[in-house]
Amino acid sequence: MYVWVVSGLGVAADDEGQKEKMIMNSMMAIFAAIVAFTVVLPQSATAQEINKLGAMKAKYEALVADINTDCKNQKKAALAGYDKSLDTAMQALKRSGDLDGFLAVKQEKERFLKESTVLEPGGAGRNILVEKAIVAYGQAVKRADADRTDRWRTLSRQYVAGLDFLVKELMVQDRIDDAKAAKTEKDTVAAIMAAGPPAEATAPSNAPTT
């Protein structure tokens, strides 16, 4: 189960087809929101209207925060799934009368409840059911990280496109300093993207909010 948050609304997708559709719809909504901030301003524009870069940046940062929250929730679900897998394994081993296997899984369950961590796969002499649960957990975490990176990159590309549009609009309005600030933000985001997938989806800090 994947949960996507778009503008504060949680949406669940149960399969890959729905997941891809959710991503496309959310990115279209994001781009529409960004473009909405870049409409040419009239000469009598208010201070709030003039601060388009600040509004765009705030929207981008909020969506980045949503992406990170989704990822953390998916990892919490994976951790809960690992706990449940150990319970299921103990029940199966109890029914089959496998005392040694039951005690091995029980020992891992007690360690997990105490430390709330999952061991690295490939432990020598480890019970096979424990190993399977560890591998399944690792795969779930990798999926969560991959989803976060994909969504962050797509969002950031849309944000950079919106900033590029904003720079041009500001130039037309002869707001050169504001255009420079928007370009600085654009270059900062592009540099973060070029550096490779972040440990956590990120928005640039201390960026101008003209």
Side-chain angles (χ1 to χ4, degrees):
M1 172 74 74
Y2 297 90
V3 179
W4 307 104
V5 178
V6 182
S7 297
L9 299 178
V11 183
D14 293 316
D15 55 46
E16 291 299 319
Q18 289 181 343
K19 172 184 166 185
E20 292 179 3
K21 185 176 180 181
M22 294 288 184
I23 293 175
M24 290 301 298
N25 289 341
S26 65
M27 291 308 108
M28 289 176 64
I30 291 165
F31 185 69
I34 290 174
V35 171
F37 287 125
T38 59
V39 176
V40 177
L41 298 176
Q43 293 298 317
S44 60
T46 65
Q48 184 177 3
E49 290 173 325
I50 290 174
N51 191 15
K52 290 191 293 185
L53 175 56
M56 288 175 63
K57 179 176 170 58
K59 180 69 173 179
Y60 174 68
E61 290 178 340
L63 291 168
V64 168
D66 286 344
I67 291 171
N68 287 328
T69 297
D70 281 353
C71 184
K72 290 176 182 177
N73 288 339
Q74 289 175 34
K75 289 183 178 181
K76 286 181 181 178
L79 207 60
Y82 178 72
D83 186 29
K84 184 177 180 180
S85 294
L86 295 178
D87 288 338
T88 301
M90 283 193 294
Q91 293 171 7
L93 292 167
K94 187 185 292 183
R95 287 194 300 269
S96 68
D98 185 346
L99 178 60
D100 289 341
F102 174 83
L103 293 176
V105 178
K106 183 174 182 292
Q107 182 180 29
E108 168 56 15
K109 169 76 174 185
E110 291 172 348
R111 184 207 65 79
F112 173 73
L113 291 177
K114 181 180 179 181
E115 301 178 9
S116 297
T117 60
V118 178
L119 300 171
E120 292 294 326
R126 181 177 292 156
N127 178 274
I128 188 172
L129 295 180
V130 173
E131 182 68 15
K132 286 182 177 179
I134 290 173
V135 170
Y137 168 79
Q139 291 172 340
V141 169
K142 287 181 180 179
R143 285 195 299 271
D145 284 334
D147 290 341
R148 177 185 59 191
T149 298
D150 289 345
R151 293 174 65 195
W152 172 78
R153 284 195 177 282
T154 301
L155 170 64
S156 296
R157 283 196 295 269
Q158 299 287 11
Y159 183 46
V160 167
L163 290 170
D164 187 57
F165 186 82
L166 176 60
V167 170
K168 294 174 182 177
E169 291 298 326
L170 292 171
M171 289 295 292
V172 170
Q173 298 168 31
D174 196 29
R175 295 170 58 190
I176 307 304
D177 289 343
D178 292 344
K180 287 169 63 178
K183 185 178 185 302
T184 296
E185 172 74 353
K186 170 190 168 184
D187 292 344
T188 299
V189 176
I192 292 173
M193 294 178 65
E200 181 174 83
T202 184
S205 60
N206 300 323
T209 56
T210 300

